[in-house]
Amino acid sequence: MHNWRHDSGDAGDKGLIDKGRHAPTRRELLHAIGVMGGAALLYQAMEAMGHARETQFAGPPNLSGARPGASVLVLGAGLAGMLAAYELAKAGYKVEILEYNNRPGGRNWSLYGGDTYTELGGATQKIGFAPGNYLNPGPWRIPYHHRTLLHYCKAFGVALEPFIQLNHQALVHDSLAFGGKPQRYRELAADWDGNVAELLGKAIDNKGLDSTLRAEDRDRLKEALRRWGLLDKDMRYVKGLRSSRRRGYDRPAGGGVDGAPIASQPFALSDLLDSGIAELIAMHMENQHQTTMFQPVGGMGMIGKAFGRQVAGKVRFGAKVTKIDQSGGAVTVTYSDVASGAVNTAKADYCVCTIPLGILSQIEVDASPGMLAAIAAVPYSNSVKVGLEMRSRFWEDDEAIYGGISFTDREISMVSYPSSGMHSAGPAVLLGAYTFGPASYKFAGMSPEERIATALEMGSVLHPGRYKEQFLGGAAVAWSRSPFTLGCCAQWNEATRKEHYQTLVAVDNRLVLAGEHASYIGCWMEGALLSSLDAITRLHKRALEA
Amino acid sequence: MKTLLIALLAATPALAAKPPLDAGPAPHPGAEVYRNVCQACHMANAQGGVGAGRIPALAGNRNLAVSGYPILVVTGGKGAMPWFRGNLSDQQIADVINYVRGNYGNRYKDAVTAAMIAEMGVAAPVRDER
């Protein structure tokens, strides 16, 4: 790999760089390449310089030269399907999308006041949120390195704002720690670092690390631990103004007579171990949760709506696909109109199918035995999200919690505070449950009203007194009962990846699959989009070679 | 974040609580499993549902006639339905199969045992990625 340096004499074509008064910086060079060659070239250049490893996105595909009259049928108007349709239409294909729902977006979706949602089993919710408030039943946050999604958000005019993932002021509750009393993430995380630093220091002093550390590094590590863990001069993590700088004070600094701060008492290590704080710190540290995260202004569904505008007029809504046939040198898809039951067919030269595998496995598909086995091999996860609208932002007013997430070992697993509209009056919607594992089945088995009531009960442990008192109304979406997905996301494992993944993503005659299920970024919008770009690039190549 | 269903079910208050003295016959052990797991998709009345795809009804379901079929499906999954081997104990799987095969319009008398699950069930896959 080319290790570029600022003072390198071979900094490329200096004619691209303004005047050349100094050797071009990396940034100047990258800018020039971006201007001259577009994003794909820029990405390659950045990669050569050892940057941009956070994404496989190489810029929008430059597809062009479709054969005159060539057509593609896209199944599903989620993000993968709509991106495929948008890019293939740009390349010159005649494109039509069939979509089961009566809206674009698929799992990218927000529920607003006035919306109605009917889940499988027939339970219907009429959402009563105040104007501007919403629940994101599916995706709700965007990592900074999901460059495909960010690219198209910008291209399609989706306004973004910061999503607050980590909030030190938010709460951590574990029924077995601190007598069940929630504690601040800030205090737990500070004390975790302090305790680990002190213990490592002791290990060094007890010669426990002599075999792995050189003498001079032992001293340097000790000093680093002292600074990192806010240890005192004797390498102890103790109550004092130094440790309180991170964990907070019993009496914070003020003005005048009582201006002096009073230090707070750190927690004991065993309590920290009970609290599960290490697991939460690790979760926040994952690349997909690192700063900066985004959300669309006005709800995640703004992305689906914006994509929908780009393919306006190309989507047939309320169309339930029942058969995909590839005989006779074309793809013929049979579908029924959900409202009338009328059966129709649509025909095209090629097909991009983004239907979730759990549903696709129930549809008669004309494809290779390997493809059919792959489609049938991947089960779907489940999750339940509950939105709770509160009369006021008591978490902000009472507790100075602005955005972020509080965690609990109860089955709701978390309460997330809105990242937008901070410091405003009037009702706001909390994410009152985001369930995982067994809790998802338990919650999904309840009626929507029971889910809301249970989420309200469980979440009140974080804000006793205020939670139920301020509650106005809720909305609950159980993905296992979602009529258009039958679950949350594709659940691959090592064995199924090995046996089926390459077959699943391969072009099968005139058919190619796309979606989060055809990616290694499962359950994220970015995976759906990267899968879509890869699928249509290969399909286009195939079409030109045909 | 992977908690075992077994733990969840054990922690369910309704399971832990002793039935009142004047209660009728003890509830079927599979009923609780059905309520906490199966009805998330198959519904409380076991009628399933139909949208873009279909969740099969378990009520009056002739596929349940041969017990080997539900054993394969519950332990190994099918289509969108994930496997439950390893998340439910073999006894819980046997209980819930017996419960469904004896209720919701199903009248199959032969009982499934945990030993049958152990013998015929699909092994749980290696831990999933998420």
Side-chain angles (χ1 to χ4, degrees):
Chain A
M1 187 197 314
H2 191 158
N3 189 9
W4 206 276
R5 294 202 308 268
H6 282 206
D7 57 359
S8 168
D10 58 346
D13 182 355
K14 285 190 179 170
L16 293 175
I17 309 297
D18 185 27
K19 303 295 185 195
R21 252 181 288 165
H22 59 277
T25 64
R26 260 187 298 218
R27 187 157 161 270
E28 287 166 335
L29 196 69
L30 290 170
H31 177 71
I33 294 169
V35 169
M36 300 295 288
L41 185 57
L42 175 63
Y43 176 82
Q44 286 166 18
M46 290 176 79
E47 194 175 40
M49 293 181 196
H51 291 285
R53 287 304 165 87
E54 79 278 5
T55 176
Q56 287 195 14
F57 182 56
N62 187 22
L63 310 181
S64 61
R67 297 189 181 202
S71 58
V72 180
L73 192 55
V74 176
L75 307 181
L79 296 194
M82 290 193 287
L83 181 58
Y86 169 80
E87 290 291 352
L88 288 170
K90 255 190 8 185
Y93 290 91
K94 185 172 165 288
V95 177
E96 183 183 14
I97 308 179
L98 300 180
E99 165 58 41
Y100 173 79
N101 284 327
N102 287 312
R103 57 166 181 85
R107 279 165 276 186
N108 176 293
W109 174 38
S110 298
L111 279 171
Y112 303 93
D115 286 351
T116 297
Y117 173 59
T118 300
E119 63 182 36
L120 289 177
T124 296
Q125 298 173 70
K126 180 107 179 357
I127 313 302
F129 294 155
N133 286 344
Y134 58 83
L135 165 69
N136 293 327
W140 58 310
R141 48 191 172 179
I142 305 171
Y144 70 91
H145 49 88
H146 283 186
R147 300 287 287 269
T148 322
L149 182 58
L150 292 172
H151 169 88
Y152 285 100
C153 280
K154 188 177 263 187
F156 296 166
V158 180
L160 301 179
E161 61 192 2
F163 172 91
I164 295 169
Q165 165 73 29
L166 169 58
N167 183 344
H168 291 79
Q169 180 71 359
L171 296 162
V172 176
H173 166 259
D174 188 292
S175 49
L176 300 178
F178 303 103
K181 185 175 181 293
Q183 304 294 341
R184 301 280 171 208
Y185 181 92
R186 185 187 61 252
E187 298 173 7
L188 296 169
D191 293 353
W192 179 262
D193 286 2
N195 275 275
V196 170
E198 180 181 317
L199 285 170
L200 259 176
K202 281 179 181 159
I204 294 170
D205 288 346
N206 293 339
K207 307 194 180 306
L209 297 178
D210 281 7
S211 60
T212 46
L213 283 176
R214 294 182 304 176
E216 62 267 35
D217 283 348
R218 291 199 286 271
D219 291 338
R220 295 201 306 161
L221 177 57
K222 274 184 70 174
E223 181 53 22
L225 289 169
R226 201 182 68 80
R227 289 164 185 261
W228 169 59
L230 296 178
L231 309 184
D232 68 6
K233 62 179 171 32
D234 299 323
M235 292 294 288
R236 293 177 310 149
Y237 183 69
V238 291
K239 177 178 180 177
L241 293 180
R242 183 169 166 78
S243 59
S244 291
R245 271 162 53 187
R246 188 175 297 166
R247 74 184 315 285
Y249 302 87
D250 266 2
R251 184 177 75 182
V257 175
D258 288 330
I262 296 174
S264 62
Q265 177 64 48
F267 296 129
L269 179 62
S270 61
D271 289 335
L272 296 169
L273 290 168
D274 287 344
S275 74
I277 187 61
E279 203 180 337
L280 287 180
I281 292 172
M283 187 273 299
H284 282 305
M285 281 178 168
E286 284 182 34
N287 192 209
Q288 61 196 9
H289 297 146
Q290 286 172 17
T291 313
T292 301
M293 301 199 80
F294 297 100
Q295 64 179 14
V297 175
M300 190 55 81
M302 291 298 171
I303 296 179
K305 287 180 181 178
F307 274 61
R309 285 193 290 275
Q310 299 296 324
V311 295
K314 295 188 174 74
V315 190
R316 184 180 298 276
F317 291 106
K320 174 176 168 171
V321 172
T322 55
K323 183 178 176 184
I324 302 171
D325 183 87
Q326 298 202 64
S327 62
V331 180
T332 306
V333 171
T334 307
Y335 64 94
S336 61
D337 183 78
V338 175
S340 69
V343 176
N344 296 295
T345 57
K347 200 167 178 175
D349 297 320
Y350 300 96
C351 178
V352 178
C353 176
T354 70
I355 297 173
L357 298 179
I359 291 170
L360 190 58
S361 67
Q362 299 179 354
I363 293 172
E364 187 183 341
V365 180
D366 175 11
S368 69
M371 174 66 94
L372 298 181
I375 290 169
V378 186
Y380 272 56
S381 61
N382 186 18
S383 187
V384 174
K385 283 192 177 172
V386 177
L388 302 174
E389 186 170 54
M390 299 290 176
R391 192 171 288 114
S392 70
R393 293 174 177 251
F394 57 85
W395 52 92
E396 297 182 0
D397 299 338
D398 298 355
E399 305 207 44
I401 298 174
Y402 296 95
I405 306 169
S406 287
F407 294 90
T408 169
D409 65 347
R410 291 186 166 186
E411 288 160 342
I412 54 172
S413 89
M414 66 180 77
V415 167
S416 177
Y417 311 94
S419 290
S420 62
M422 288 176 198
H423 241 268
S424 61
V429 172
L430 297 169
L431 178 66
Y434 178 11
T435 66
F436 297 89
S440 297
Y441 291 96
K442 194 167 171 184
F443 262 79
M446 302 175 188
S447 70
E449 296 73 24
E450 287 171 328
R451 292 173 206 144
I452 292 164
T454 307
L456 190 65
E457 178 62 39
M458 290 184 173
S460 64
V461 75
L462 293 163
H463 301 282
R466 299 295 265 158
Y467 216 64
K468 293 178 190 172
E469 164 203 298
Q470 294 283 308
F471 174 69
L472 289 173
V477 173
W479 282 96
S480 64
R481 292 186 178 183
S482 147
F484 57 98
T485 57
L486 296 188
C488 213
C489 306
Q491 263 185 304
W492 290 94
N493 58 50
E494 233 173 87
T496 51
R497 286 276 192 206
K498 195 172 168 197
E499 191 177 350
H500 297 295
Y501 180 79
Q502 290 300 330
T503 309
L504 187 92
V505 299
V507 178
D508 184 301
N509 194 6
R510 295 171 174 273
L511 171 72
V512 68
L513 307 193
E516 61 85 23
H517 50 273
S519 83
Y520 270 79
I521 317 177
C523 228
W524 288 89
M525 294 178 284
E526 182 75 358
L529 295 182
L530 280 173
S531 154
S532 179
L533 292 181
D534 179 63
I536 61 172
T537 301
R538 286 181 287 116
L539 191 68
H540 179 57
K541 185 163 178 281
R542 173 96 161 216
L544 293 184
E545 289 166 358
Chain B
M1 196 52 100
K2 182 150 184 162
T3 324
L4 292 184
L5 284 169
I6 300 164
L8 168 80
L9 293 170
T12 303
L15 266 189
K18 286 179 183 167
L21 291 175
D22 58 348
H28 194 292
E32 192 73 9
V33 180
Y34 187 87
R35 191 169 68 80
N36 280 319
V37 183
C38 311
Q39 78 179 37
C41 299
H42 294 282
M43 307 297 164
N45 58 10
Q47 290 296 333
V50 178
R54 189 176 61 93
I55 297 170
L58 300 180
N61 188 326
R62 289 180 190 171
N63 286 335
L64 300 176
V66 178
S67 62
Y69 181 77
I71 290 175
L72 286 182
V73 172
V74 176
T75 55
K78 187 174 192 297
M81 176 173 162
W83 66 92
F84 286 93
R85 192 79 187 278
N87 287 330
L88 290 172
S89 71
D90 286 357
Q91 185 60 54
Q92 286 174 318
I93 291 173
D95 287 344
V96 78
I97 289 174
N98 288 331
Y99 172 70
V100 172
R101 290 180 83 236
N103 288 280
Y104 307 113
N106 301 311
R107 293 284 178 268
Y108 304 106
K109 304 288 184 198
D110 56 312
V112 168
T113 63
M116 289 166 70
I117 306 297
E119 188 192 330
M120 300 164 65
V122 180
V126 180
R127 181 186 155 76
D128 58 286
E129 292 173 9
R130 294 192 74 247

